[in-house]
Amino acid sequence: MWRPRLIESARMKYLGIVEALEADIRSAKVARGDRLPPQRAIAEALGVDLTTVTRAFNEARRRGLVEAQAGRGTFISEKLDGSAAAERIQPLLDLSMNIPPQPSEVDFRKIVPSGIAGLLSSPRGLLSLHYQESTGAEADRQIAASRLAQWVEGVTADRIVIAGGAQSALFALCDLLLTRGDMIAAGAMTYPGLKAVAFQKGLVLEPLEMDDKGIIPDAFEKACRDRAPKALYVIPSIDNPTTATLPEDRRRALAAIARKHDVTIIEDDPYAPLRAERAPALAELAPDITWHLATLSKCATPALRVAYVVAPSAKKALRLAGVLRATILMAPPLMSALASRWITDGTLEQITRAIRAENAQRQKLAAAIMSDVAFAADPQGHHLWLRLPEHWRASDFAEHADRAGVSIVPSSAFAVTPHPIEAVRISLGVAPDRGALEDGLTLLAGLIAQPPLGSKAVV
């Protein structure tokens, strides 16, 4: 059995444990198949806390040095070659992708194939395998209008375009509305997909100051006076990454400012179906200047590559369809038809309701584990926005978390400003179950409390 020790020169204590273990494997002090002492015994022997040892075990597994055997303990890996270190594997738990959880009561392995089989066996089902108009099939747009009316009052099918996911729709919108060098105003922290589109299209992003309620209208007013942006990009509900939801008065203020300065609004609202309370969409408050984007990836599954765009008019919807025709041609007809079927028979609402409930449980779990940490969250949302204490920089924290076996996203991924706040986004949905999520959050909570060796306060 390995005799625990720690290499003091390591950057962090948990890495000192891993490096000591790897060195002992290289020097044949321990061999393949040897058993490691229990984590608590190692913690006591080295005078460190249990979280540090847990992180060391996670890192050792990632390096391929050890393997756990259920009910027996942890052993030196039998698969090690002479150099002892194996290739690095993926993080043990990915909390970086902001996707909805898969609730236990929703079995996608059953409802997806049965839904498609039902479609194809219907009298006109094979039409879902044909080419369709770039706007989307008329029947699908009618069904989409009936659904979207819950959040955008007055929407009609002739104003709807169906796209193959929100990202392709966002790219098409920017291609239609803006030219190289044009400016888009957006929150100082914004969706990375917008940053990617702006880079590809040569657009300029103008950061707007935000608070816990989202974009501050006065900041948008000042940007309009001083910088004359052509468009405003906003996520009004459960903002990604800040989790803020714009209250109604702020929505009305932003709409009024945009109209005053002739600014087009791009309203990206994938999370609205998750919120129990309804707030008027900007597309409802200013329908003539707003393009409303609603994807199903956050309230159902990202595999359902369907997004609905509500244009200011039927004429403008056809113009957007022209851009889509030149890029993706059309949304996947089979997926569009499946989405329509799920809307009609209530399956989509059942999925969304189950996701909303699971999110609420995961948020309660996160609040309990992160009780000593300052973070923002929505009770029905997928993610947390965690402000870090002074001894951590976001990039360093994300790197150390990754090495410990949990992948998260630092604020730099969302920043429009050159010097963003020190924060990270933690996504709760991708964890396969609450047990795995609890392990990952517990590790992160322990990591936050322990500054890296040799660190100084960030000022």
Side-chain angles (χ1 to χ4, degrees), residues 283-299:
E284 182 178 315
L285 301 173
D288 56 320
I289 59 172
T290 302
W291 296 78
H292 180 89
L293 178 55
T295 178
L296 301 184
S297 65
K298 306 303 182 185
C299 61

Side-chain angles (χ1 to χ4, degrees), residues 214-258:
I215 293 173
I216 298 174
D218 285 347
F220 180 42
E221 175 78 55
K222 185 177 187 303
C224 289
R225 289 198 312 264
D226 299 346
R227 305 283 285 165
K230 293 290 184 67
L232 168 68
Y233 175 85
V234 58
I235 303 175
S237 307
I238 316 181
D239 176 61
N240 181 15
T242 69
T243 78
T245 293
L246 288 167
E248 182 174 344
D249 61 342
R250 214 170 263 205
R251 297 178 186 223
R252 292 186 180 277
L254 291 173
I257 295 167

Side-chain angles (χ1 to χ4, degrees), residues 2 4-6 13 17 37-54 56-57:
W2 182 58
R5 66 187 186 90
L6 184 152
K13 286 185 178 179
I17 298 173
Q39 293 188 30
R40 191 171 299 278
I42 294 177
E44 292 175 356
L46 298 179
V48 299
D49 60 66
L50 187 59
T51 302
T52 298
V53 180
T54 299
F57 270 52

Side-chain angles (χ1 to χ4, degrees), residues 264-330:
T264 299
I265 300 172
I266 300 174
E267 180 180 34
D268 192 355
D269 204 11
Y271 302 100
L274 298 176
R275 301 197 76 244
E277 298 179 2
R278 181 190 183 278
L282 291 162
E284 182 178 315
L285 301 173
D288 56 320
I289 59 172
T290 302
W291 296 78
H292 180 89
L293 178 55
T295 178
L296 301 184
S297 65
K298 306 303 182 185
C299 61
T301 169
L304 196 65
R305 301 306 300 157
V306 177
Y308 305 117
V309 182
V310 181
S313 67
K315 183 177 180 179
K316 290 182 177 180
L318 292 175
R319 290 178 58 198
L320 177 63
V323 178
L324 291 172
R325 187 178 303 115
T327 52
I328 65 169
L329 185 61
M330 61 184 179

Side-chain angles (χ1 to χ4, degrees), residues 318-384:
L318 292 175
R319 290 178 58 198
L320 177 63
V323 178
L324 291 172
R325 187 178 303 115
T327 52
I328 65 169
L329 185 61
M330 61 184 179
L334 190 59
M335 291 295 98
S336 299
L338 180 60
S340 294
R341 182 183 181 90
W342 282 358
I343 292 171
T344 303
D345 67 13
T347 299
L348 184 59
E349 178 55 32
Q350 293 173 11
I351 295 171
T352 301
R353 189 163 53 244
I355 288 171
R356 189 186 301 127
E358 180 64 22
N359 278 347
Q361 292 301 315
R362 294 187 180 210
Q363 289 286 358
K364 289 179 181 178
L365 177 64
I369 295 172
M370 298 286 190
S371 58
D372 296 329
V373 183
F375 68 86
D378 185 282
Q380 281 80 43
H382 300 327
H383 64 286
L384 312 176

Side-chain angles (χ1 to χ4, degrees), residues 76-88:
I76 304 299
S77 176
E78 295 281 1
K79 301 176 182 178
L80 287 174
D81 57 20
S83 66
E87 290 185 5
R88 178 177 174 173

Side-chain angles (χ1 to χ4, degrees), residues 27-329:
S27 62
K29 290 182 179 179
V30 287
R32 288 182 295 179
D34 282 1
R35 184 177 180 177
L36 271 66
Q39 293 188 30
R40 191 171 299 278
I42 294 177
E44 292 175 356
L46 298 179
V48 299
D49 60 66
L50 187 59
T51 302
T52 298
V53 180
T54 299
R55 292 167 62 200
F57 270 52
N58 288 339
E59 176 64 15
R61 281 196 294 269
R62 292 180 61 208
R63 296 188 185 189
L65 301 175
V66 301
E67 54 191 18
Q69 297 180 17
R72 297 189 61 217
T74 302
F75 298 80
I76 304 299
S77 176
E78 295 281 1
K79 301 176 182 178
L80 287 174
D81 57 20
S83 66
E87 290 185 5
R88 178 177 174 173
I89 61 175
Q90 292 298 313
L92 299 178
L93 182 61
D94 184 356
L95 301 184
S96 66
M97 296 299 293
N98 211 28
I99 66 174
Q102 296 193 353
S104 58
E105 61 267 40
V106 178
D107 191 344
F108 285 98
R109 292 171 296 185
K110 291 182 178 179
I111 65 173
V112 172
S114 66
I116 292 175
L119 279 173
L120 297 180
S121 62
S122 64
R124 298 175 60 83
L126 291 180
L127 291 178
S128 299
L129 303 181
H130 294 182
Y131 286 107
Q132 294 181 354
E133 292 294 327
S134 296
T135 54
E138 171 68 19
D140 292 333
R141 290 187 288 114
Q142 289 284 356
I143 292 171
S146 68
R147 171 178 167 78
L148 291 172
Q150 299 177 67
W151 302 284
V152 185
E153 190 173 294
V155 64
T156 54
D158 60 352
R159 291 171 53 201
I160 292 177
V161 177
I162 303 177
Q167 189 64 28
S168 63
L170 181 58
F171 187 92
L173 281 172
C174 290
D175 189 78
L176 174 66
L177 301 172
L178 304 164
T179 58
R180 182 171 293 274
D182 282 348
M183 179 176 292
I184 307 177
M189 292 288 162
T190 196
Y191 170 51
L194 175 68
K195 294 176 63 177
V197 172
F199 176 80
Q200 290 292 329
K201 300 295 297 179
L203 306 175
V204 178
L205 291 177
E206 173 67 13
L208 301 177
E209 185 180 355
M210 308 174 75
D211 60 17
D212 60 352
K213 296 180 180 179
I215 293 173
I216 298 174
D218 285 347
F220 180 42
E221 175 78 55
K222 185 177 187 303
C224 289
R225 289 198 312 264
D226 299 346
R227 305 283 285 165
K230 293 290 184 67
L232 168 68
Y233 175 85
V234 58
I235 303 175
S237 307
I238 316 181
D239 176 61
N240 181 15
T242 69
T243 78
T245 293
L246 288 167
E248 182 174 344
D249 61 342
R250 214 170 263 205
R251 297 178 186 223
R252 292 186 180 277
L254 291 173
I257 295 167
R259 187 182 301 285
K260 173 183 174 183
H261 293 280
D262 193 27
V263 176
T264 299
I265 300 172
I266 300 174
E267 180 180 34
D268 192 355
D269 204 11
Y271 302 100
L274 298 176
R275 301 197 76 244
E277 298 179 2
R278 181 190 183 278
L282 291 162
E284 182 178 315
L285 301 173
D288 56 320
I289 59 172
T290 302
W291 296 78
H292 180 89
L293 178 55
T295 178
L296 301 184
S297 65
K298 306 303 182 185
C299 61
T301 169
L304 196 65
R305 301 306 300 157
V306 177
Y308 305 117
V309 182
V310 181
S313 67
K315 183 177 180 179
K316 290 182 177 180
L318 292 175
R319 290 178 58 198
L320 177 63
V323 178
L324 291 172
R325 187 178 303 115
T327 52
I328 65 169
L329 185 61

